[in-house]
Amino acid sequence: MMQPQGRPRPKIDDVAREAGVSRGTVSRVLNGGHWVSPPALAAVNAAIKKTGYRVNPHARNLATNKANSVAFLLTETHDRLFADPNFAVLMRGAADALAVHDIPLVLIMAGTDDEQRRATDFLTAGHVDGVLLVSSHGSRKGVIADIIAAGVPAIACGVPLGFEKKMGYVAADDYQGALELLEFLDDGGRKRIATITGPQDTSGGIRRLEAYRAHQGEAFDEELVAPGDYSRESGARAMRELLARVPDVDAVFAANDLMALGALEVLHDAGRRVPEDVAVVGFDDISAASAATPALTTVRQPFDRISEEMVRLLLDVIAGKNHAAITIPTELVVRESA
């Protein structure tokens, strides 16, 4: 209810008087309704509606020592935020899950040393109640260490390398997903399977390469491995390297879809038919995967569920529960590229 101009803003005392209860009862209702009888709860809610009382969030935050917000901490450069659609999907999912609890999500970028310093200062100063850590790199351990040392509740997307026992996380089953994809290439008769790896300071990059090594076994050949950084450009660069080193390659497993799309472009320019000459597979199932020519066979990460579970686990930690870790199965998506 909007208050007429010039009329004093309703206070808790006004609500208590209207409801016929104590000021303390109104405060308990405003802070969750614990230890309030159903009749009193109904009376207070009716009084709030009638008086037009609105909570002063700043005052409530001071009283409860809570910021009533959560940070989405992305340890990547700004260009990666827009280039990799997975981040936007995760952020939207987290924002939707938090909106149910009326908690806003604050995006914080920490891709450079200066940004990481500012992010650490902000997060450890009590400006947020918790952190959703996305794209954690083992080479950027300082931010994670500072968050843990300050006691800030946090949940990571993917395994926080070096801090597996100190921070909860939600991860896709990178190893099993990659292995299933490689076995699918085997079933298709592919003999010279190369891989374009993800960054080896991320849990996803490490686990997907581990699956490739395990799949190849004694036949593992370093010549069939080319490094990438999850960007489309690195996929194209790696594909050119592979064609120069192993021209008889007949399949490529790229550790994410963006790199697979870069590989497709290079193969097209080189006159290699996909999948007749070279099969190409990725990982993630971004929207561009189904729109590619040919459409990309890949592994689907359930990002909606990952973001929901991250929020659920974070709210548990904020409420005082122990952190937990969850690994979520992936799904093979077969299309025309393999």
Side-chain angles (χ1 to χ4, degrees):
M1 178 185 298
M2 297 296 292
Q3 294 301 310
Q5 192 171 10
R7 180 176 174 179
R9 183 188 183 99
K11 297 181 174 59
I12 286 182
D13 290 334
D14 299 319
V15 175
R17 187 163 45 249
E18 178 66 32
V21 299
S22 69
R23 191 178 192 279
T25 298
V26 176
S27 294
R28 287 194 294 276
V29 171
L30 295 174
N31 287 286
H34 303 296
W35 310 110
V36 178
S37 68
L41 179 63
V44 171
N45 284 330
I48 289 173
K49 184 175 182 180
K50 183 174 181 179
T51 61
Y53 175 80
R54 297 183 65 185
V55 176
N56 182 332
H58 180 65
R60 182 173 66 181
N61 293 347
L62 290 174
T64 62
N65 198 30
K66 286 190 175 182
N68 195 41
S69 62
V70 163
F72 186 93
L73 177 61
L74 183 59
T75 57
E76 296 284 358
T77 56
H78 292 247
D79 59 316
R80 289 299 302 279
L81 171 63
F82 299 102
D84 192 329
N86 293 335
F87 298 139
V89 173
L90 283 167
M91 187 161 54
R92 183 177 66 246
D96 289 345
L98 285 166
V100 175
H101 303 275
D102 201 26
I103 300 174
L105 185 67
V106 180
L107 171 63
I108 299 178
M109 303 293 296
T112 67
D113 290 342
D114 284 343
E115 286 176 345
Q116 290 172 36
R117 175 183 52 77
R118 288 193 293 270
T120 299
D121 290 344
F122 182 85
L123 296 172
T124 58
H127 296 301
V128 296
D129 296 322
V131 179
L132 298 172
L133 177 63
V134 180
S135 189
S136 57
H137 290 257
S139 58
R140 299 170 187 166
K141 293 183 177 181
V143 175
I144 302 179
D146 289 340
I147 289 172
I148 292 173
V152 180
I155 294 293
C157 179
V159 181
L161 298 174
F163 300 94
E164 296 90 338
K165 302 298 183 181
K166 297 182 178 180
M167 180 181 289
Y169 60 88
V170 180
D173 194 340
D174 296 288
Y175 185 92
Q176 192 58 42
L179 199 58
E180 185 177 2
L181 192 57
L182 291 160
E183 290 171 349
F184 172 77
L185 292 174
D186 274 345
D187 293 341
R190 305 295 171 167
K191 302 298 182 184
R192 293 283 279 168
I193 303 174
T195 187
I196 301 173
T197 73
Q200 293 303 291
D201 65 345
T202 64
S203 60
I206 291 172
R207 293 295 282 164
R208 294 168 205 176
L209 179 56
E210 287 176 347
Y212 175 81
R213 284 180 177 273
H215 171 265
Q216 296 294 93
E218 294 182 357
F220 177 79
D221 183 356
E222 288 284 357
E223 290 291 296
L224 290 166
V225 179
D229 61 11
Y230 284 155
S231 70
R232 189 169 185 146
E233 293 76 18
S234 74
R237 181 173 61 250
M239 191 68 250
R240 285 191 288 268
E241 293 175 8
L242 288 169
L243 286 177
R245 286 203 304 261
V246 282
D248 61 336
V249 62
D250 63 3
V252 178
F253 163 46
N256 81 338
D257 288 346
L258 283 177
M259 294 191 299
L261 295 176
L264 282 176
E265 293 174 353
V266 170
L267 288 167
H268 178 269
D269 292 344
R272 300 293 184 95
R273 298 171 301 165
V274 178
E276 293 85 354
D277 300 328
V278 183
V280 177
V281 296
F283 204 105
D284 288 340
D285 196 26
I286 62 176
S287 58
S290 60
T293 304
L296 188 65
T297 293
T298 185
V299 170
R300 177 176 298 147
Q301 292 202 63
F303 286 116
D304 289 344
R305 185 181 172 194
I306 288 172
S307 57
E308 289 175 2
E309 292 291 346
M310 287 178 67
V311 168
R312 183 178 67 82
L313 293 186
L314 180 62
L315 294 180
D316 282 349
V317 176
I318 291 173
K321 298 180 181 179
N322 293 331
H323 63 255
I326 297 177
T327 300
I328 299 177
T330 57
E331 177 187 354
L332 176 64
V333 180
V334 178
R335 299 193 180 100
E336 290 78 24
S337 69

